[in-house]
Amino acid sequence: MSSISAEARDVILGEARTHFHWQDKPVPEALLRDVYDLAKMGATSANCCPARFVFVTTEAGKARLKPHLIPGNVDKTMSAPATAIIAWDSKFYERVPELYPHQPEARDWFTGSEQSIYDNAMRNGTLQGAYFMLAARAFGLDCGPMSGFDPDGLNAEFFPDGRFRANFLCNLGYGVDAALHPRLPRLDFDDACAIA
Ligand SMILES: Cc1cc2nc3c(=O)[nH]c(=O)nc-3n(C[C@H](O)[C@H](O)[C@H](O)COP(=O)(O)O)c2cc1C
């Protein structure tokens, strides 16, 4: 595998920003499908793929989302062309025999306890959410991830049978660069990393 260009690295991380203001430019379903089809290739434990995605793109869908957002997240979400609910399947292990067919008993690696199910779903589902954001940027979209919402209310509205549970939300579209605040600091290598 060759490395990607410096420009591509900037698109996915180096210059990529969290956006809160959106151009009036739609995100077509075909693009959401392309993004998912790239993101789904990201690695998960035993290929368990616990993340599930709901793309809220309609006025009616946004109206269902709105009451469950913290006030500071309402305007940015209502004005975004699409909002992804990145959720996890609490029975993700049921799909493991099909996703890891050479070792179908891998299903049981996850089911030792409710804690194990939760830990693996959250770990891998969050990774998949991050893969999704990188894939979205690779296709030219901007992202606005959010955890400021009432999970019980949102889950009851979108996942009433209780099987899927929201992890985080991510607004998607084409951001207004002029509305960005200055980039916040990050921890330097020597502060956040060690070599053992
Ligand atoms: C999981 C997650 C949850 C976040 N939740 C919120 C939120 O609820 N509301 C908000 O305005 N920003 C939220 N943010 C945005 C972060 O504050 C922002 O990504 C961070 O400051 C880095 O900004 P930058 O990408 O522009 O450098 C969230 C980001 C992530 C990754």
Side-chain angles (χ1 to χ4, degrees), residues 16-18 20 70 73 76 145-148 168 183-184 186:
R17 297 296 311 277
T18 296
F20 303 119
I70 63 168
N73 283 340
K76 61 190 75 154
M146 296 173 294
S147 52
F168 69 99
R183 179 73 116 172
L184 293 168
R186 299 297 202 260

Side-chain angles (χ1 to χ4, degrees), residues 41-130:
M41 295 307 179
T44 54
S45 314
N47 199 30
C48 64
C49 302
R52 303 291 182 266
F53 299 81
V54 176
F55 298 106
V56 182
T57 61
T58 63
E59 289 287 319
K62 290 293 185 72
R64 294 171 63 199
L65 203 50
K66 188 175 177 181
H68 310 295
L69 302 172
I70 63 168
N73 283 340
V74 169
D75 288 349
K76 61 190 75 154
T77 305
M78 292 305 110
S79 60
T83 304
I85 304 172
I86 293 141
W88 52 281
D89 180 359
S90 62
K91 292 193 164 53
F92 70 92
Y93 48 84
E94 289 184 352
R95 306 295 297 269
V96 167
E98 126 197 25
L99 293 165
Y100 209 62
H102 57 292
Q103 221 170 340
E105 68 276 16
R107 176 193 188 280
D108 304 331
W109 299 346
F110 298 106
T111 55
S113 66
E114 283 301 316
Q115 187 69 47
S116 168
I117 292 168
Y118 176 80
D119 287 349
N120 281 289
M122 281 303 284
R123 179 181 304 116
N124 290 288
T126 303
L127 278 170
Q128 287 185 282

